[in-house]
Structure formats: C-alpha cells, structure tokens
Amino acid sequence: MIELDEIDRALIKALSEDATQSAGALGRALGLSQPATWRRIKRLETDGVLAGRRLDLDREKLGFGVTVFLGVKLATKGRVSLEDFERAVSAIPEVQRIEHVLGMYDYRLRVSARDISDFERVLRRRIMTLPGVGDVEANVLLSEERRPGPI
C-alpha cells in the first residue's frame, strides 16, 4: 500500500470530481504552488494511484438509451475458454465493460444499446454466440448515481 498524506487524498478527491483541472487551479485550492502540485500528480501517476483520466460520456445523448448489465456463466471452464471468451467479447463495441467476477456468474458485462430491440439483436447475434457462453442473466439499468469513493 502506498503512503498518502492528507494533501494527496485531497488532490485525489479533487481530481475524481474534475480531472480537467490544471495543476495551478488544484494548487490554489489546496494551498500549494503549481510545481508542487504537478510533482504530486506525477508521483501519484508513477506510483499507479492515478491510472488514467477518463471521459464521461452521456450515452443517452449519443443515442444509446439502454444500459444492461449481463451476468454470464460459461458452459465450459478452463484457461483456453476464458481467454477465448475475453478476446471475443472485447471485440463487441456495445460491450462497454467486462468484469471477471467470483460468484454465481463468471463475468459481468455492461452493454449499451440504442433501445431494447437493439439490445436483443446484440444479445442474440453477438453475445450468445460467443465461445463458452452458458447461462446469461440481464438487468436493465433504470438510473445511475455516482457516489464518492473512500478517499
């Protein structure tokens, strides 16, 4: 575990709220100089605490009004089937996130589609034909709220 002081935690919190802030603006808010803030950001990146900055898209405004979480249980298990499944599911553009999980299902997928009929097409023609797919359970997202993390 990496040692973080209160300033590091405040910097991480500020970046998690808006990663586009400049080092100067962050420094002013935290009582640091721009170079000191920049050095802290670089150290957090080098240490792997900050793994990247992501763009948060409004999927609905882009025409993707339905998000579905799929639990996928593979019919066959083994190293080859896991790798084959992961490679194949990664090639489906509607699949936004792939999580290998422990529990009732082997994978949890986040799928974005234009509407329910578009999701059905993706499910039938692309996901259900993937190597090793067995049971699938779908949960349609009704609403989403971002909660602050533990920092």
Side-chain angles (χ1 to χ4, degrees), residues 20 24-26 30 44 72 79 84 87 99 118 127 133 140:
T20 66
L26 289 164
L30 299 173
L44 291 169
V72 178
R79 188 160 183 82
D84 289 346
R87 186 175 24 261
E99 298 169 336
D118 184 41
I127 294 170
V133 169
V140 176

Side-chain angles (χ1 to χ4, degrees), residues 5-18 21-23 26-27 30 32 36-44 50 151:
D5 63 19
E6 290 306 311
I7 294 173
D8 290 331
R9 292 181 195 287
L11 183 57
I12 292 166
K13 184 175 187 303
L15 285 170
S16 72
E17 291 169 0
D18 181 3
Q21 297 179 76
S22 70
L26 289 164
L30 299 173
L32 297 173
T37 305
W38 181 249
R39 282 191 300 273
R40 282 182 179 262
I41 292 170
K42 282 300 176 192
R43 181 179 48 79
L44 291 169
L50 299 179
I151 298 295

Side-chain angles (χ1 to χ4, degrees), residues 72-76 85 126-136:
V72 178
K73 185 167 188 68
L74 299 182
T76 58
F85 175 81
R126 306 202 71 192
I127 294 170
M128 294 305 293
T129 62
L130 292 173
V133 169
D135 295 334
V136 175

Side-chain angles (χ1 to χ4, degrees), residues 133-144:
V133 169
D135 295 334
V136 175
E137 178 181 276
N139 293 283
V140 176
L141 177 69
L142 299 177
S143 65
E144 186 171 36

Side-chain angles (χ1 to χ4, degrees), residues 27-139:
R28 283 189 296 279
L30 299 173
L32 297 173
S33 68
Q34 184 272 342
T37 305
W38 181 249
R39 282 191 300 273
R40 282 182 179 262
I41 292 170
K42 282 300 176 192
R43 181 179 48 79
L44 291 169
E45 288 174 343
T46 300
D47 290 347
V49 174
L50 299 179
R53 299 177 193 181
R54 290 176 179 75
L55 185 63
D56 191 13
L57 300 173
D58 186 324
R59 289 178 178 88
E60 197 167 332
K61 288 182 180 175
L62 292 170
F64 294 91
V66 173
T67 299
V68 180
F69 295 100
L70 288 180
V72 178
K73 185 167 188 68
L74 299 182
T76 58
K77 290 188 181 170
R79 188 160 183 82
V80 173
S81 64
L82 291 177
E83 290 171 357
D84 289 346
F85 175 81
E86 289 171 6
R87 186 175 24 261
V89 77
S90 294
I92 301 172
E94 292 87 355
V95 176
Q96 299 296 299
R97 182 172 293 223
I98 304 160
E99 298 169 336
H100 189 201
V101 297
L102 181 64
M104 182 181 291
Y105 294 97
D106 299 308
Y107 288 91
R108 186 179 116 128
L109 310 178
R110 181 181 181 130
V111 180
S112 293
R114 298 194 181 285
D115 51 33
I116 290 294
S117 62
D118 184 41
F119 167 72
E120 183 181 11
R121 177 193 59 78
V122 171
L123 179 65
R124 286 178 180 235
R125 294 183 185 168
R126 306 202 71 192
I127 294 170
M128 294 305 293
T129 62
L130 292 173
V133 169
D135 295 334
V136 175
E137 178 181 276
N139 293 283

